[in-house]
Each structure stands twice: as structure tokens, then as C-alpha cells.
């Protein structure tokens, strides 16, 4: 798209539900802001701030623009992301907010978790920079002053590609953290390496990860859980689950836990497959209840899954008629409400 086409397609105003939506709306905006960043560089950030003002929508949009800018000028975009990450908290009338100074402008994000929004933008920048140049991503880690090292480590390893030497990554991170409280960061480092590795070779990552925890008393399914959740292709995780369930190496509990994260970013087909994995109908209903329970309809305004998706999941669960009908009734009671997520 040309710059004129991008500007014509950008949202007219900030959307307060932007961070909650997924797929079509969010990805469309993400691609537009990335393209804007690639075309305009630093000026794209100024454009976004002027157009949308304060709030998390602006921060998300800036994050996408930084990612686009990173593809054409990773060094300049990385320096900008470091500056953007220097926002700080202050208290205004007993309410927490984060304030960012950028090119003479101030951006405010309200709320007790506002700083998390700012940091997540920087973490996205680390991932994008690493994908462009692993050495650049590592340099951003060196510059970062963070009390919680886990998210930036995860961002770094998430940006590494399929040909990565993961044992060398382990050594690089150990060297990076050698002047820190090594005992404090040793396990987050191993976790990050395993999660990054698992995106390309789940079985080898789990084997390596379990070896790091040998003697800890942690079971295979406990250690595998975060690596399963990290999979961007749910089918890979479900293949692993199916094989290990049938071999008796893990229990249905790991499927229940996995399902609680899966629905946040999965298609209806993914959800139908995972609910069919356990042989025990009680476990299948436990999974289903996590998607149809009344808490999904809090405030009576935003159920997460569309009624047609939920009805297909009830069918896939293969439950006794009376049990299935109870779930159908609950879904139908709220079928008039708009939903955030649909089966695409």
C-alpha cells in the first residue's frame, strides 16, 4: 500500500476494545500501522500520537509502527523503542498512570496496569529486532533496566529463527546475566530458551527443558505446559498431547490447563479438537464449562465466543443429552449479545 492508501484505511479514532479483539480487526490495524512505520519511520510515531492522543490504543499502534520501522531501519527503530520504554509511573488523585515523553509530546495511559502496556510495546520491539538481527536483539536486552527479566527474555527467544543454535543462546544469556543475581535469573533464562526453541522443535525443547529441572520433582506435564501454550500453531501442541495421552505419559489435567489458554487465540476447529482429546466425559465437560460458564457473560455485554462456535463445541464434547442441553440453554440465553471472538 502507498502512504495515501494506508492513511485512508487507518481507524478514524481510537478503539477502546482494540487490545481485546483478535483476528480480523486487530490484525488489519496491526498491518496498517506496521506499513505506516515502514513508510514513515520516526514520523509514523508522531502521526499516531497526534491522531489518537492518549491511551492504550495509541501505545499498541506505536508498537506496530515500531515493528514496521524495524524492518527497514532496525538500528534507528531500536533506539526509538528504548526511548519509548522509558515511560514512568506517577500517581494522580490516587489513580496510577504512565507518562511517556516523546519528541516534545506527552502520552498518558491510565490504570494500575498502564506500565505493562508500555513494556509490552518494548518487548514486541525486542522480538522484531531479534528477527531482523539476533545481535541487535541481544543489545536491546543489555540496555533494558527491568525488575522482571522474564518478558524481555521471552521476547528475545521468540524472535530467533529455526536455524538457531539454542545451546549457544543459553550460553549468551548466561553471560549476559552473569553480573546479575544469577540464581534469580537462571530459571527464567532456561524457561525463555525452552519457549523459543519449542516454537521450532517442541520435542527437543521439552527434552532439554526437563533435563534442566532434573531432580526438582516437577512432572513432565507441569514442565511441558508453558511450552505447549507457547505454540503459535496449536496443532503442534495437540499432536504432542494426543501422543502422550495415548502413551499414558501425561494426564487429562494437562489438556484442561491447555484449553484454558487455547481459546484466547484459536479457531473453532482447534477448540473442537482439544475438547475431544480426553476420553473421560467428565473432563470434556470441565473443558466445555470453561467456555460456556456464566463468568463469560459478566456485565451482560461481552461473551467471548459466538453462539454457533459454542454449539459446535457442545456437539464435539459428546456429552449426555441432558448435560449438553444445559449448556445449550446457557448459550441461548445470551445469544443476543455481541461477541468479541468468532469462528474464522
Amino acid at each position: 500500500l502507498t502512504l495515501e492508501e494506508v492513511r485512508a484505511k487507518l481507524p478514524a479514532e481510537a478503539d477502546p476494545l482494540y487490545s481485546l479483539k483478535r483476528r480480523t480487526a486487530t490484525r488489519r490495524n496491526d498491518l496498517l500501522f506496521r506499513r505506516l512505520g515502514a513508510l514513515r519511520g520516526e514520523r509514523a510515531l508522531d502521526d499516531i500520537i497526534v491522531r489518537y492522543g492518549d491511551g492504550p490504543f495509541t501505545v499498541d499502534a506505536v508498537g506496530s509502527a515500531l515493528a514496521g520501522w524495524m524492518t527497514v531501519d532496525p538500528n534507528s527503530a531500536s533506539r526509538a523503542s528504548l526511548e519509548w520504554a522509558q515511560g514512568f509511573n506517577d500517581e494522580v488523585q490516587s489513580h496510577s498512570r504512565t507518562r511517556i515523553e516523546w519528541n516534545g509530546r506527552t502520552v498518558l495511559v491510565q490504570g494500575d496496569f498502564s506500565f505493562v502496556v508500555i513494556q509490552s510495546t518494548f518487548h514486541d520491539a525486542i522480538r522484531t529486532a531479534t528477527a531482523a538481527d539476533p545481535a541487535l536483539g541481544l543489545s536491546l536486552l543489555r540496555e533494558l533496566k527491568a525488575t522482571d527479566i522474564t518478558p524481555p527474555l521471552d521476547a528475545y527467544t521468540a524472535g530467533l529463527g529455526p536455524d538457531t543454535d539454542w545451546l549457544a543462546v543459553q550460553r549468551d544469556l548466561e553471560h549476559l546475566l552473569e553480573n546479575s543475581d544469577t540464581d534469580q535469573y537462571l530459571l527464567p533464562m532456561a524457561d525463555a530458551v525452552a519457549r523459543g526453541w519449542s516454537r521450532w522443535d517442541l520435542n527437543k525443547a521439552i527434552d532439554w527443558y526437563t533435563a534442566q529441572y532434573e531432580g526438582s520433582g516437577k512432572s513432565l506435564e507441569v514442565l511441558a505446559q508453558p511450552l505447549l501454550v507457547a505454540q503459535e500453531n496449536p496443532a503442534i501442541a495437540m499432536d504432542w498431547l494426543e501422543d502422550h495421552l495415548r502413551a499414558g505419559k501425561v494426564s487429562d489435567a494437562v489438556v484442561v490447563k491447555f484449553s484454558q489458554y487455547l481459546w484466547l487465540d484459536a479457531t473453532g476447529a482447534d477448540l473442537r479438537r482439544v475438547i475431544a482429546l480426553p476420553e473421560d466425559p467428565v473432563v470434556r465437560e470441565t473443558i466445555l464449562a470453561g467456555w460456556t460458564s456464566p463468568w463469560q457473560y459478566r456485565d451482560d455485554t461481552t461473551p467471548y465466543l459466538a453462539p454457533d462456535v459454542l454449539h459446535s463445541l457442545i456437539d464435539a464434547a459428546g456429552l449426555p443429552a441432558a448435560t449438553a442441553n444445559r449448556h445449550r440453554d446457557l448459550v441461548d440465553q445470551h445469544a443476543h449479545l455481541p461477541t468479541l471472538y468468532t469462528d474464522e
Side-chain angles (χ1 to χ4, degrees):
L1 295 178
T2 66
L3 179 58
E4 291 73 19
E5 290 171 329
V6 169
R7 283 173 168 164
K9 294 176 181 293
L10 287 173
E13 58 186 14
D15 181 350
L17 291 179
Y18 179 66
S19 296
L20 296 177
K21 294 179 179 177
R22 65 173 186 171
R23 298 204 181 99
T24 304
T26 299
R27 290 178 183 174
R28 176 181 181 276
N29 289 343
D30 176 59
L31 290 172
L32 287 171
F33 287 122
R34 283 173 181 260
R35 181 60 176 160
L36 182 67
L39 292 169
R40 294 272 289 166
E42 179 177 334
R43 291 174 295 174
L45 278 60
D46 297 326
D47 294 344
I48 291 167
I49 294 168
V50 170
R51 184 165 186 165
Y52 300 112
D54 298 331
F57 181 90
T58 297
V59 175
D60 282 340
V62 164
S64 296
L66 281 168
W69 183 11
M70 198 86 68
T71 62
V72 295
D73 188 355
N75 287 299
S76 297
S78 296
R79 287 195 296 271
S81 68
L82 275 173
E83 184 175 344
W84 190 259
Q86 301 309 310
F88 57 91
N89 290 323
D90 55 13
E91 295 291 331
V92 180
Q93 296 178 349
S94 300
H95 294 289
S96 177
R97 70 180 186 182
T98 297
R99 181 161 45 120
I100 306 160
E101 303 294 337
W102 170 259
N103 281 358
R105 297 185 176 91
T106 300
V107 179
L108 297 176
V109 183
Q110 304 286 351
D112 292 340
F113 295 99
S114 56
F115 196 67
V116 175
V117 178
I118 308 301
Q119 288 296 302
S120 67
T121 297
F122 182 64
H123 301 153
D124 290 343
I126 292 176
R127 178 171 182 169
T128 308
T130 303
D133 180 357
L136 178 59
L138 196 62
S139 71
L140 286 177
L141 279 181
R142 290 193 183 96
E143 295 288 337
L144 181 64
K145 304 297 188 292
T147 55
D148 183 0
I149 196 67
T150 301
L153 284 176
D154 278 341
Y156 171 70
T157 60
L160 296 170
D163 297 326
T164 298
D165 181 342
W166 293 99
L167 298 183
V169 171
Q170 178 189 11
R171 292 191 294 270
D172 288 342
L173 293 180
E174 287 174 345
H175 179 69
L176 178 68
L177 300 172
E178 66 184 1
N179 294 323
S180 305
D181 184 346
T182 306
D183 291 338
Q184 177 187 354
Y185 292 140
L186 182 60
L187 292 183
M189 180 274 295
D191 296 347
V193 171
R195 277 191 284 267
W197 195 347
S198 72
R199 289 179 170 87
W200 304 108
D201 192 329
L202 179 60
N203 286 304
K204 285 186 178 178
I206 289 177
D207 289 345
W208 177 85
Y209 192 48
T210 53
Q212 306 308 299
Y213 280 88
E214 187 175 1
S216 69
K218 291 188 176 183
S219 67
L220 171 62
E221 62 189 56
V222 168
L223 292 171
Q225 186 65 57
L227 307 190
L228 296 171
V229 171
Q231 293 304 300
E232 295 175 0
N233 180 358
I236 294 174
M238 286 188 278
D239 287 343
W240 188 93
L241 281 170
E242 188 167 13
D243 290 345
H244 286 73
L245 278 170
R246 302 298 173 255
K249 295 180 179 179
V250 297
S251 70
D252 288 337
V254 72
V255 184
V256 175
K257 191 71 173 177
F258 177 70
S259 72
Q260 293 169 351
Y261 292 92
L262 176 68
W263 72 271
L264 292 169
D265 192 21
T267 65
D270 294 327
L271 300 178
R272 287 187 288 274
R273 182 181 176 190
V274 77
I275 203 170
L277 286 177
E279 295 183 357
D280 187 345
V282 175
V283 177
R284 295 199 297 272
E285 187 188 5
T286 299
I287 294 173
L288 181 65
W291 299 328
T292 64
S293 60
W295 72 266
Q296 295 269 23
Y297 307 104
R298 62 191 186 284
D299 302 328
D300 205 40
T301 55
T302 54
Y304 288 96
L305 298 174
D308 59 330
V309 179
L310 290 169
H311 279 297
S312 74
L313 294 174
I314 294 170
D315 292 338
L319 301 174
T323 304
N325 288 337
R326 186 174 70 251
H327 287 280
R328 292 187 195 282
D329 289 344
L330 180 59
V331 171
D332 291 342
Q333 287 171 21
H334 300 87
H336 64 286
L337 299 174
T339 54
L340 291 180
Y341 303 156
T342 58
D343 187 9
E344 299 177 21

